[in-house]
Amino acid sequence: MAKVSVFNMEGSEVGTIELNDAIFGAEINENLVHLAVVKHLADKRQGTQKAKTRSEVSGGGRKPWRQKGTGHARQGSTRAPQWTGGGVVFAPTPRDYSFKMNKKEKRAALKSALTARTQENKLVVVDELKFDGYKTKEFVRVMKNLKVEDKALVVLAENDSKVVRSAGNIPTVNTSLCSELNVYDILNAQTLVLTKDAVAKIEEVFA
């Protein structure tokens, strides 16, 4: 099992923790990681775009001129796609872009992402995150103490509104619960910050 240091909110090392190799030392499956990212982005698409086809635009009820003898090209409707105000060819319609991944694939992709961050030394474990109130400056100070100055994802075991709201105004920091953890957020962050309780919960759920 891999050992990583555990830091407190002051940035001092207070111990070490052994990570479960089944989760933080798994074989990286790049194909499933890519599929999980594509699925996440597809699920976020609203799919509400809409344009009218020639059968849906108003007007064009009669043939604009007779078939032959006018010198014009033959036309059947003033709402055909080549006309101004005409319908759109193969117009987009509302649709659902989401698709399914089975549970084993999701878990394998998540383990791959966690393993990648561990191998890249971009995983930081903190013993706890506790604030007396909603203090953005305090949260920024903690991130500096942990030497996390780039884009970070902070993962909590349980919802703590003081921590979440303290991080809410920091553009480079996102927070997540273990139950909401996904591959896209892990890879989108340069550094993954886990509390000790979050590590324990992840290992309990995904082991």
Side-chain angles (χ1 to χ4, degrees):
M1 291 187 177
K3 281 189 177 182
V4 297
S5 299
V6 178
F7 300 91
N8 60 19
M9 292 173 59
E10 302 303 320
S12 301
E13 185 175 342
V14 294
T16 59
I17 187 173
E18 288 189 347
L19 301 177
N20 190 336
D21 284 342
I23 299 171
F24 296 93
E27 181 180 351
I28 298 177
N29 189 322
E30 294 183 0
N31 180 54
L32 287 181
V33 170
H34 175 262
L35 189 64
V37 171
V38 172
K39 172 178 167 51
H40 179 83
L41 295 175
D43 290 347
K44 291 178 68 175
R45 294 184 69 175
Q46 287 185 319
T48 54
Q49 71 274 36
K50 177 72 173 76
K52 292 183 178 182
T53 64
R54 62 183 296 169
S55 66
E56 296 171 316
V57 293
S58 61
R62 69 180 184 85
K63 192 174 175 66
W65 49 74
R66 67 176 192 260
Q67 183 81 345
K68 296 177 180 290
T70 64
H72 296 296
R74 55 193 175 189
Q75 300 291 333
S77 169
T78 57
R79 290 299 174 258
Q82 72 271 20
W83 284 71
T84 300
V88 178
V89 181
F90 306 128
T93 55
R95 55 165 289 192
D96 181 10
Y97 287 92
S98 64
F99 60 90
K100 290 185 177 181
M101 285 180 67
N102 65 47
K103 189 179 294 185
K104 287 184 178 180
E105 289 177 330
K106 290 179 183 177
R107 288 195 171 195
L110 190 60
K111 290 177 182 179
S112 295
L114 291 171
T115 297
R117 283 291 172 258
T118 304
Q119 292 179 353
E120 295 164 357
N121 294 320
K122 293 182 178 179
L123 185 145
V124 176
V125 179
V126 60
D127 58 350
E128 64 174 2
L129 287 173
K130 293 290 183 183
F131 297 105
D132 296 331
Y134 307 110
K135 300 178 179 178
T136 299
K137 287 184 179 179
E138 183 68 13
F139 199 101
V140 171
R141 185 184 68 81
V142 172
M143 291 295 102
K144 287 184 178 179
N145 291 341
L146 296 173
K147 297 180 181 179
V148 178
E149 298 178 353
D150 46 15
K151 200 169 184 181
L153 174 66
V154 178
V155 183
L156 308 172
E158 302 293 340
N159 186 30
D160 186 334
S161 62
K162 291 179 181 177
V163 175
V164 173
R165 289 183 62 181
S166 294
N169 287 331
I170 307 174
T172 58
V173 175
N174 288 323
T175 57
S176 176
L177 299 179
C178 293
S179 58
E180 300 171 350
L181 197 57
N182 63 77
V183 174
Y184 178 83
D185 287 343
I186 294 173
L187 298 182
N188 194 42
Q190 294 295 319
T191 305
L192 182 63
V193 180
L194 301 173
T195 63
K196 280 184 67 176
D197 290 342
V199 172
K201 191 159 188 177
I202 289 172
E203 291 182 345
E204 177 186 348
V205 173
F206 296 104

